[in-house]
Amino acid sequence: MIIVLANTKGGVGKSTLAVHIALWLHDHGLSTAFLDADKQLSGAQWIEEAEPAIPLRTARNPDDCLDACERLQREVACVICDGPAGLDDVSRSLMLMANLALMPISPSILDLRSVTEATSILRYAQRIQGDRLQGALVLNKMRRRERISRELARAVPQLGIGVASSVIRDLQAFRDAAQQGTVVTRMNTRSASAAASDLHAFCDELFGDWLRDLGILKNEREAMGS
Ligand SMILES: Nc1ncnc2c1ncn2[C@@H]1O[C@H](COP(=O)(O)OP(=O)(O)O)[C@@H](O)[C@H]1O
Ligand SMILES: [Mg+2]
């Protein structure tokens, strides 16, 4: 399984979610690797600090991406790819290898305008990959009381692309986690537990059934009986 975090825009939360999803899967017992295909390498540095046990590769061009994905897929069940901003060849090649493309979008006027552009790369890859590539928008940095957040939530279902129904709120703990080289699910503050609960709901929605099928997560009835 190859999961890519993609968006033509920077600052929407690709690296934040890539690192958090990788750690969530790893901590639930799924063998998971991380591929950082962004030149800034912020995801790679973060993962290295947070969990050295996660196999890590970096890639700077489409050939590197292909090589790294092929190698990592032989080692682990799931490869999380942190993509660059933009519509370049690296973004396209990641999309052409992925099984799942997650596109974080965050509430700003600019993001609202760029969603169509961001989704064009997903449509391009889906024309080639067909059903092998699933795509979903992820509402990140949401503020329930803010008008632009509500407008974004109202606008995205009309784009014709799946939207994760669990949203991730704008919470200081996500910024603190980056600074401390850890993830919100491993922190012990009130803000972190709110952030962790958003992340659990989101990851369970996306990966819960898969992990239960693999026997890694117990279903609720079994868990209650055990
Ligand atoms: N849910 C969130 N709540 C608060 N801050 C967030 C959240 N997601 C991301 N951020 C912050 O937004 C900034 C950009 O996030 P980042 O993951 O680096 O984006 P990208 O990889 O798309 O450029 C960082 O400062 C990060 O800490
Ligand atoms: Mg990034």
Side-chain angles (χ1 to χ4, degrees), residues 11 13-16 38 40 42-43 82-83:
K14 294 183 294 296
S15 301
T16 303
D38 187 4
Q40 289 175 356
S42 55
D82 184 9

Side-chain angles (χ1 to χ4, degrees), residues 119-133:
T119 53
S120 69
I121 190 169
L122 177 62
R123 289 181 208 283
Y124 162 87
Q126 278 181 325
R127 279 170 66 189
I128 298 169
Q129 287 232 60
D131 290 344
R132 280 173 308 189
L133 172 64

Side-chain angles (χ1 to χ4, degrees), residues 10-16 140-141 168-171 174-175:
V12 289
K14 294 183 294 296
S15 301
T16 303
N140 186 33
K141 299 205 231 182
I168 315 268
R169 284 171 290 171
D170 185 319
L171 293 165
F174 285 106
R175 288 185 281 272

Side-chain angles (χ1 to χ4, degrees), residues 7-13 104-116 118 138-144 146-156 159 168 170:
N7 190 314
T8 48
K9 266 186 66 85
V12 289
I105 48 174
S106 55
S108 78
I109 305 269
L110 270 174
D111 279 13
L112 263 178
R113 289 195 191 126
S114 71
V115 173
T116 321
V138 181
L139 297 176
N140 186 33
K141 299 205 231 182
M142 293 292 275
R143 294 191 186 151
R144 292 222 169 95
E146 195 184 62
R147 207 175 116 209
I148 185 91
S149 291
R150 292 200 302 267
E151 280 177 12
L152 182 68
R154 230 176 288 134
V156 286
L159 290 165
I168 315 268
D170 185 319

